[in-house]
Amino acid sequence: MYEQVSHSLLNEILDRLKPEIQRRNLRHFYTRLGANFYVIHSLFHHLYGSRDDSTSQLVRLVEVMAGRYIERSKTLEKIDRARESNHNWFLSQEWVGMALYADGFAGDLEGMEQRLPYLQELGINMAHVMPMMVCPTGASDGGYAVSDFRNIDPRIGTLDDLASLVESMRKRGMLLALDVVVNHTSDEHEWVQKARTGDPKYQDYFYIFDDREVPDMFEETMPEIFPETAPGNFTWDETMGKWVMTVFNRYQWDLNYSNPAVFIEMVDAILYWANRGADIIRLDAVAFLWKKIGTTCQNEREAHLILQLMKDCCQVTAPGVLFIAEAIVAPLEIIKYFGEDAIIAKECEIAYNATFMALLWEAVATKNANLLNQGIRSLPDKLDRATWLNYIRCHDDIGLGFDDADIIKAGYNPYAHRRFLVDYFTGQFEGSEARGQPFGRNAKTGDARISGSLTSLIGLEAALERGDEAAVDRALKLILLLHGMILSFGGIPLLYYGDEIGTLNDCSFLQDENKAGDNRWMHRPRIDWEKAELRHRHGTIEQMIFDGLKKLIAVRKTIPAFADYNNREMIHVGNEHLFVFNRSHPEVPDEKVLVVANFDDSPQHLELGTLGIWQPMRIGPLQDLASGESPALFKEQLVIPPLRFYWISSQRAGFTG
Ligand code: OTU
């Protein structure tokens, strides 16, 4: 958009840029800056316009963007341009991701590079490497307390190791996702040290208060994130003799985004890692970016404006780089992190589908798909050019973030149902074989979340201990069923390292004083590579899971209808145990895929006669792409065995139209 004020301001800013920037040939930078500047200026003005230094800060921002553009390598620039012209590249069904800690997976970055063939063997072509920047040597919230946004923790490797990993991944056609922890720093960060010496410039980087007046007002409406280990949202700092806002752990200081200098520093950090080869940047805890008295300090409108501004700046310098929003919040709030009132994503292109994740676990516990169907139907359509990260487990706890109205519609009482789920997955419910632990129990609100590895939560650990073959078989089916769902739902499936070989809970964290208080460590394993070798021995647990997933991943990649163009149609089938939807590709109209999943322990049937194109008389023998088998039919009824799912193709079934 052409707008006089921002246009003349842009000219003024270009005149004020440092001479070394002015002398460069920055053609692509300037065309993108011109295209985005109206929005950048409007957002910046809205957030920071009332400050005296607002224009000089904007000059500084443009300088940072230009400086990082100049630094960007020719290879990355080429990738940027290729992705600009094929801008839907990441919606393809060909992407399959895995989240991992470099140290837990393979010791360090060098080890990870050596293990890339393992990821490829499984079919993984995107790796999210958990935080690896410098962090405290003691407790560091798994690296989510960053002490230096420009360097790698020496225990994990060096910048050279990263460069080598990036190169190797690129050759293999793999994408790298890195974390930038934008909401807070560790209390060992240089900015904290300077704030502690009394430097007002750096005290303004954080939320620091002389007394409890403001903190007490905040506390009235702010929930607690880690109520057991870090109650309250403020920490007394002895050195300064002041209170600091620390929403997560006491050693994680919240950054003050009402200060434009903080915003610019963090854009710089994002672009720094983009230039080190990250294809995707995971922005941690984005819901928390804006703090306002009288609110929960989550999902505030300004948090969204900050993300939009970050995206617009990143698009000028590194347009090939995508953002993942990590916002584990209510279903209707998560979807806003793609951007609101827009057609195509304008904040983050990718967001964690925490809603689907929690609903899948709910279906496992209840053996029915009532709430799953209800919850997915209640989700508004997402924007174009936006996609989900679909996952079953990750490094965090499982939060039961359903919408209360959906729980009621599905026929349950919200409080009692959440309680049942926690009891179920912690093995307290009669008949439950799950081996999870409650996480973040809040005595005041009664809330709790769940920790535990996929295999232990699903009952495999208990089944193996008892040597109960039927129970082992049941757990294996569930593992494949859940993966079958994240592989076909629409979005990038994100597997969690260790799950592909059935890694159980690891309780060794209890021996480490820096981890013992945080049971999320029970599902952050060290891969046992001897055990992983068992994937080559027929009949082992490792082989059955690994090969099962490998096959599903390979099949997913051949199904264009599984690309994410908002092309899912939920189908109401009147059988509470079934979760059924259609997928179709807008440009490949011939192939539709019917996804049918049975969450119950008994076989179920589905009347195909009423399902339009899926009427058996119109198709030849059915073909399930997932298994390669022909599902059984009784007259017009499709038979779905216990805990099984189908990906039925209209085309490859010999569709007669
Ligand atoms: C994120 O988590 C990370 O994934 C956690 O590992 C970190 O501890 C945390 O940020 C702080 O850096 O902020 O928007 O239930 O889901 O803390 C969601 C707890 C987050 C996590 C929550 C989450």
Side-chain angles (χ1 to χ4, degrees), residues 141 144 184 248 282 284-285 326 328 395-397 449 520:
D141 193 16
Y144 281 102
H184 41 261
F248 293 90
R282 175 192 184 274
D284 184 59
E326 195 260 346
I328 313 303
H395 69 291
D396 277 333
D397 49 288
R449 285 114 73 185
R520 289 176 298 172

Side-chain angles (χ1 to χ4, degrees), residues 207-227:
Y207 290 99
I208 294 176
F209 305 96
D210 293 334
D211 54 39
R212 285 290 312 183
E213 251 175 43
V214 176
D216 283 344
M217 281 193 279
F218 268 115
E219 291 290 12
E220 280 178 25
T221 48
M222 283 176 90
E224 294 171 316
I225 308 301
F226 300 137

Side-chain angles (χ1 to χ4, degrees), residues 231-269:
N233 289 286
F234 295 85
T235 299
W236 173 253
D237 185 71
E238 279 298 340
T239 325
M240 290 188 299
K242 291 179 197 277
W243 291 94
V244 185
M245 185 184 276
T246 55
V247 170
F248 293 90
N249 289 294
R250 292 193 184 93
Y251 52 82
Q252 288 165 305
W253 288 29
D254 284 68
L255 284 163
N256 171 14
Y257 276 87
S258 37
N259 178 356
V262 166
F263 175 81
I264 295 167
E265 295 269 17
M266 297 316 287
V267 166
D268 197 27

